[in-house]
Amino acid sequence: MEASSELHPEVVKSDEQWREELGRERFEVLRRGGTERPWSGALVTNHADGTYRCAGCGNLLFGSDAKFDSACGWPSFTEPAVAGAVVLLEDRSHGMVRTEVRCRRCGGHLGHVFDDGPGPGGERWCINSLSLEFEPFELG
Ligand code: FE
């Protein structure tokens, strides 16, 4: 995958506003690029049918049909629900070259995408639970 997109978020707020709306933990991940501890996230082992939205702005990001159990300790997906929902950026922090995944709408940090996924596309989208809001499908 290519990490060449630029970030031009539609949803722009001050750090103060974000911190107030998101709370400390979500703020650290979404707005500061932090990473939750592996296996600490509420959605890692969620197997329910539904959609995963950005916890910062509500943007639809992933569907449960693309979620799979990876051994990494973070919610993992084979692909986004909508390709244009995310922006990929090169991340050279921590002495590695990784592809960072951000929400296109609010610029929030979601996680990283790797090339060792199980699907036909071979991608593993490794996303923080704290960056996501799960919305179960209504039954009936
Ligand atoms: Fe967002």
Side-chain angles (χ1 to χ4, degrees):
M1 68 221 72
E2 265 178 71
S4 56
S5 303
E6 285 179 48
L7 208 54
H8 300 289
E10 292 165 39
V11 178
V12 179
K13 294 175 189 181
S14 67
D15 277 353
E16 208 171 35
Q17 269 179 293
W18 280 122
R19 202 188 305 261
E20 200 172 303
E21 286 181 22
L22 297 173
R24 190 183 55 83
E25 287 189 307
R26 285 197 197 273
F27 178 82
E28 283 305 318
V29 174
L30 279 162
R31 308 312 309 178
R32 287 277 177 269
T35 300
E36 69 198 14
R37 280 179 301 107
W39 305 108
S40 71
L43 299 170
V44 182
T45 57
N46 180 37
H47 296 112
D49 291 335
T51 52
Y52 293 82
R53 292 182 179 275
C54 174
C57 73
N59 193 15
L60 173 61
L61 299 173
F62 299 98
S64 55
D65 54 334
K67 194 171 190 288
F68 68 97
D69 283 321
S70 82
C72 71
W74 292 275
S76 301
F77 303 88
T78 54
E79 61 184 355
V82 187
V86 295
V87 170
L88 302 180
L89 301 172
E90 189 177 86
D91 175 6
R92 291 185 166 269
S93 65
H94 304 291
M96 297 175 265
V97 182
R98 292 178 295 169
T99 304
E100 182 191 7
V101 185
R102 301 262 206 118
C103 172
R104 183 179 295 274
R105 207 159 157 258
C106 73
H109 171 77
L110 304 174
H112 292 87
V113 57
F114 302 96
D115 286 326
D116 57 5
E123 295 176 355
R124 173 170 59 96
W125 296 70
C126 186
I127 308 297
N128 289 281
S129 281
L130 286 168
S131 300
L132 299 171
E133 200 81 74
F134 178 68
E135 199 177 76
F137 287 139
E138 301 275 341
L139 296 177

